Amino acid sequence: MGNRVYVQLQRGFTLIELLVVIAIITVLSSILFPVFGKVREKARQTMCASNQRQIGLGFLQYAQDYDDNLPGRIYGGQTFRAALEPYLKSGKGVRSVWKCPSNADQKSNIDVSGYISTFTLNNTMDHFATWKPGLPLNSVGELSDKILMTEIKVRIWTDYNSPWWTPTPTSVATLGYWGYGQVAHNGRSNYLFCDGHVKALKPTQTITPVNHWTYACDSVTADDPAEPMLSAMHWLEVANP
């Protein structure tokens, strides 16, 4: 008898099995991709907070050298960012500490001193009036409770929440200037407080139950929530869930 050769055929995947595998991969991708996105944004938020903390140290060092006064918003022909440069030594470009990595805009936010920035001063009640020297720290109130700097998008402003921002918003469509506040960190913004610490908060958490925007020099009821910020922070949060 001649030699017999036995060939064992391997069974391949059926069409149904392939479709099941594709469906499983699709489901896993829909679950994991948003998670990866949130992880990446958390890393950018951490970098943003680190940048703000460095700026906070610059503010405090400046105050030590200038009799406990913060730098003026625009004073002596320069913005507060330029006034802090001797302490930060960070430069003006997109890789400086003045930039939040979550803000994709690289060129629009250039102030009159040439700084590209997505951080700006809390100017409630005109704390930091243009062409006036900076605010004394002892006029702020509880330093750990009051916002010094916030995030902003696609604007060259040196201020946020200035008193001429009217009227009170009644919807997302009527947010006006408040709508330029950046809320990029999973529904939160990073806020630098006057004692140098940074905290991520939802917009409404900055105004209620305690008003973190108004300073002691503004009102005897500086900690009470007040319009138009109460409405503005509500609609800003609605616009950035």
Side-chain angles (χ1 to χ4, degrees):
M1 296 177 62
N3 294 331
R4 294 183 179 180
V5 177
Y6 294 92
V7 178
Q8 183 176 1
L9 298 176
Q10 292 185 344
R11 176 178 174 272
F13 290 109
T14 67
L15 178 60
I16 293 177
E17 288 171 334
L18 287 173
L19 290 175
V20 169
V21 171
I22 292 172
I24 292 173
I25 293 173
T26 302
V27 170
L28 289 176
S29 298
S30 66
I31 295 172
L32 294 177
F33 284 170
V35 173
F36 293 152
K38 288 185 177 181
V39 170
R40 286 194 297 269
E41 178 49 46
K42 188 64 178 178
R44 290 192 290 263
Q45 177 184 343
T46 300
M47 178 62 72
C48 173
S50 175
N51 287 347
Q52 288 202 31
R53 276 191 289 271
Q54 291 183 61
I55 296 170
L57 288 174
F59 273 113
L60 295 176
Q61 290 172 337
Y62 180 99
Q64 287 179 346
D65 289 344
Y66 289 89
D67 299 323
D68 283 339
N69 287 303
L70 296 169
R73 181 162 62 89
I74 301 177
Y75 182 70
Q78 64 179 8
T79 65
F80 71 96
R81 301 176 185 110
L84 294 180
E85 179 59 23
Y87 305 93
L88 300 176
K89 296 180 174 59
S90 175
K92 302 178 179 182
V94 295
R95 297 186 182 278
S96 76
V97 296
W98 292 104
K99 196 78 171 56
C100 170
S102 293
N103 192 313
D105 185 84
Q106 299 291 315
K107 298 179 180 179
S108 298
N109 296 30
I110 302 177
D111 71 14
V112 295
S113 292
Y115 283 81
I116 298 174
S117 180
T118 56
F119 305 134
T120 196
L121 290 175
N122 163 22
N123 196 40
T124 305
M125 303 300 292
D126 214 17
H127 301 147
F128 297 96
T130 307
W131 313 126
K132 291 186 179 180
L135 190 74
L137 278 174
N138 61 15
S139 67
V140 170
E142 186 61 46
L143 298 181
S144 63
D145 205 38
K146 298 300 178 181
I147 293 170
L148 175 57
M149 195 175 68
T150 184
E151 297 188 65
I152 199 169
K153 57 185 178 184
V154 199
R155 286 285 154 173
I156 61 170
W157 294 336
T158 53
D159 63 315
Y160 188 78
N161 190 34
S162 287
W164 52 87
W165 291 13
T166 54
T168 299
T170 57
S171 66
V172 171
T174 60
L175 262 172
Y177 293 147
W178 286 285
Y180 289 103
Q182 176 169 282
V183 189
H185 308 305
N186 297 317
R188 287 171 167 79
S189 295
N190 283 331
Y191 297 91
L192 171 66
F193 285 74
C194 291
D195 68 340
H197 87 275
V198 176
K199 191 171 184 178
L201 297 169
K202 292 183 177 181
T204 54
Q205 292 175 323
T206 67
I207 190 69
T208 183
V210 175
N211 185 343
H212 294 295
W213 296 90
T214 308
Y215 293 172
C217 60
D218 300 325
S219 169
V220 294
T221 58
D223 291 336
D224 294 338
E227 295 290 7
M229 280 295 286
L230 193 59
S231 294
M233 293 299 99
H234 166 71
W235 292 113
L236 183 62
E237 190 169 304
V238 170
N240 299 273

